[in-house]
Structures are given as C-alpha cells and as structure tokens.
Amino acid sequence: MKRQNQSMITEFILIGFSNLGDLQILLFFIFLLVYLTTLTANATIMIVIHLDRALHTPMYFFLFVLSCSETCYTLVIVPKMLTNLLSTAPTISLSGCVAQLYFFVGLACTNCFLIAVMGYDRYVAICNPLNYTLIVSRATCTQLVLASSFCGFLISVVVNVLVFSVPFCSSNRINHFFCDISPVIKLGCTDTNLKEMVIFFLSILVLLVPLVLIFISYVFIVSTILKISSVEGQRKTFATCASHLTVVIVHYGCASFIYLRPTSLYSSDKDRLVAVTYTVITPLLNPLVYTLRNKEVKTALKKVLSRYLLSKTV
C-alpha cells in the first residue's frame, strides 16, 4: 500500500495562504501590484543601462545582469502564486514542482554569487583604482557572470536530486506557496537527515562564504576610505557602496534566516512571511535602491526620459 501511495503522487497541493480565506483576494491585488512594479522597475534599470553609454562600466554591467536574473526569479514564483490565490484547488504537478525548485534555487544561488562579485568590483574600484579597468575587464566581467550562473545551477541540480530522490508518502500537501526545499523534503517517508546535512552544507557555501568575502572586501574598502583626506571625498566614495550594502543586508539576511538552520525548525507561518520578503519584496528593492540612492542612475534615467519625450514632440 505504501508503494502504491508513493507512485500515485503526480501533483502537489500548495496550501500557501488558503487559511486566510477572503483575504486572498486582497493579497492577490497587492502582490500583483508589487509584481508589475518589480517588472517595470527592473526593465527600466536594464533599458537605462543599455541606452546610456556613461553606465557602460563593470558596476552597471553586473547590475544589469542582476536585474535580469531577479526578473526571471520572480517569473518562477509569482505568476503561479497569483494563480493559486484565485484558485479553489491550488495545485502544481510533480514536473512543475521539480522545474520550479530547479530554477528558483539556480537563480537564487546565481544572485548570491553576483552580489558577491559586485562587492569584489567595489573593492577593486576603491582600493586599486589605477588598475581597475585592467583587473575588471569586459572579459573578466563576462567570465564572472558565467561562473556565477554555472555554479548556481550546478548547486540547483544537486539540491533537486537530493529533494526529489526522496520517496513521498500519501501526503501531497506542501505547506507553502511554492515548492521550496524544506516544505517538499518534509513530505518524504524515509530518513532525510543525510540529505538535509548536504543541503545545509550547500547553503553555507552559497550564503556564508560570499558574505564573508563581502565582509573582507568592505574591511579594505572602509580602510581605504578613511585614508581619504577630505570628508566630501569620503562621502562620495562610500556613496558608491551604500546601495550594494543595502542589497547585501536584505538579501543575505532573509535567505540566511530560512536556509541556515535545520529543517526541523521550519515554522510554516513565520517562514511564509519571510519567503514573501525574498521572493516578492527583495526583487523590487534592488532596482529601487539603485535608482533612488544612485546619482548616476538617476541622471541617466532623466536623460533617457527627456530624450524619449523630445522624440515624441518632434
């Protein structure tokens, strides 16, 4: 009977926000608004960087790639979540769950590595400015992006194999709004401790190692900034790092809260709230932070808008 139950599971039920009843309609419109704003904001960042030659630098190349990756990241989670908020039977097929977890983990890991690469870029720009263009060349930028993506999706393959090699029991109810690692692996009917230990080790590799490297970079950056004689010079130099630091704190903070702890400590309600932050809010935060706090991007945005409005009037 146990074998039969395992073979019968061809789809999962995503419980998500079903306990909120009629509030799901309100959540649908809130998340839809945030989602559309996220797509618009990230698309705007990419268009501005593409059109303004002053932004054709390594820093903005990495920001362009991050915005593109964040857009794909939201496409993996949010449309299905919005559909399920309006559905009386919020389900996802087994193959759909596998694909969602694969792209979610792959893009999330890629983003973690990209943010670390952006920290390295700031380190070289501030601590070794004379050799900046030589060290962070166009070829190096491309190689770093490709390496980040390759490592991210390689880790995703390993995670998917670990999660979906677990035989599932009769329950197919995922206590989440998407196929995340802990809620899915908890449905397994065999001992998953070894698999969870491997996933925990990979989480350390993806989150803690880049975070430590970013911290070391900023130790050198702060040391260099303090050596600048003028206060105005210090302020301008640090301003180039402020946006990146904000993204680091939010991105790594939320992800660490969820993935750097044992699965046994998984708390569905609290973790769903944090998951909303890193799947819905954070992708919107990145373009807003870089637009509102970055003078170069704001100037470029004004130039692109004025050029567009001028072309309309002619």
Side-chain angles (χ1 to χ4, degrees), residues 97-99 101-102 105 153-168 181 184-185 192 195-196 198-199 202:
C97 192
V98 172
L101 184 64
Y102 170 73
V105 173
F153 281 94
L154 180 62
I155 289 169
S156 184
V157 169
V158 176
V159 169
N160 258 39
V161 169
L162 290 170
V163 171
F164 290 102
S165 62
V166 174
F168 297 111
I181 298 169
V184 175
I185 206 168
T192 59
K195 294 175 186 291
E196 288 176 34
V198 175
I199 291 171
L202 291 174

Side-chain angles (χ1 to χ4, degrees), residues 7 17 25 32 45 60 118-119 126 155 164 183 185 193 198 202 213 236 248 265 271 278 296:
S7 61
F17 306 101
I25 303 297
L32 178 62
I45 285 282
Y60 294 107
M118 291 170 81
I126 293 170
I155 289 169
F164 290 102
I185 206 168
N193 285 334
V198 175
L202 291 174
L213 293 175
K236 283 184 177 179
V248 167
L265 297 178
D271 289 357
Y278 66 74
E296 288 180 318

Side-chain angles (χ1 to χ4, degrees), residues 207-272:
L207 292 169
L208 279 190
V209 172
L211 191 58
V212 168
L213 293 175
I214 291 169
F215 176 77
I216 292 170
S217 296
Y218 272 97
V219 168
F220 286 105
I221 287 170
V222 171
S223 175
T224 303
I225 290 173
L226 291 176
K227 292 176 183 175
I228 298 173
S229 55
S230 70
V231 176
E232 183 64 19
Q234 291 180 352
R235 189 189 64 78
K236 283 184 177 179
T237 307
F238 187 76
T240 63
C241 305
S243 301
H244 180 254
L245 268 177
T246 305
V247 171
V248 167
I249 292 166
V250 175
H251 186 93
Y252 285 98
C254 292
S256 298
F257 177 81
I258 296 293
Y259 299 107
L260 292 182
R261 59 179 180 161
T263 308
S264 57
L265 297 178
Y266 176 76
S267 169
S268 57
D269 293 334
K270 190 193 302 180
D271 289 357
R272 268 202 300 269

Side-chain angles (χ1 to χ4, degrees), residues 280-298:
V280 181
I281 307 300
T282 303
L284 173 62
L285 179 70
N286 292 348
L288 289 182
V289 165
Y290 275 98
T291 304
L292 297 175
R293 294 185 62 92
N294 192 298
K295 190 176 179 180
E296 288 180 318
V297 174
K298 285 193 286 187

Side-chain angles (χ1 to χ4, degrees), residues 2-65:
K2 192 174 182 180
R3 280 180 175 273
Q4 190 178 3
N5 284 340
Q6 292 169 14
S7 61
M8 284 171 60
I9 294 179
T10 57
E11 67 176 15
F12 296 100
I13 298 170
L14 294 167
I15 296 174
F17 306 101
S18 57
N19 62 322
L20 297 178
D22 293 338
L23 280 175
Q24 289 182 95
I25 303 297
L26 177 62
L27 282 180
F28 171 82
F29 286 108
I30 292 172
F31 290 153
L32 178 62
L33 178 63
V34 173
Y35 177 56
L36 294 175
T37 307
T38 300
L39 293 181
T40 304
N42 277 299
T44 301
I45 285 282
M46 289 187 283
I47 291 168
V48 168
I49 291 172
H50 175 70
L51 294 178
D52 196 298
R53 293 187 64 83
L55 299 183
H56 290 185
T57 63
M59 175 181 170
Y60 294 107
F61 171 74
F62 294 131
L63 178 57
F64 180 95
V65 176

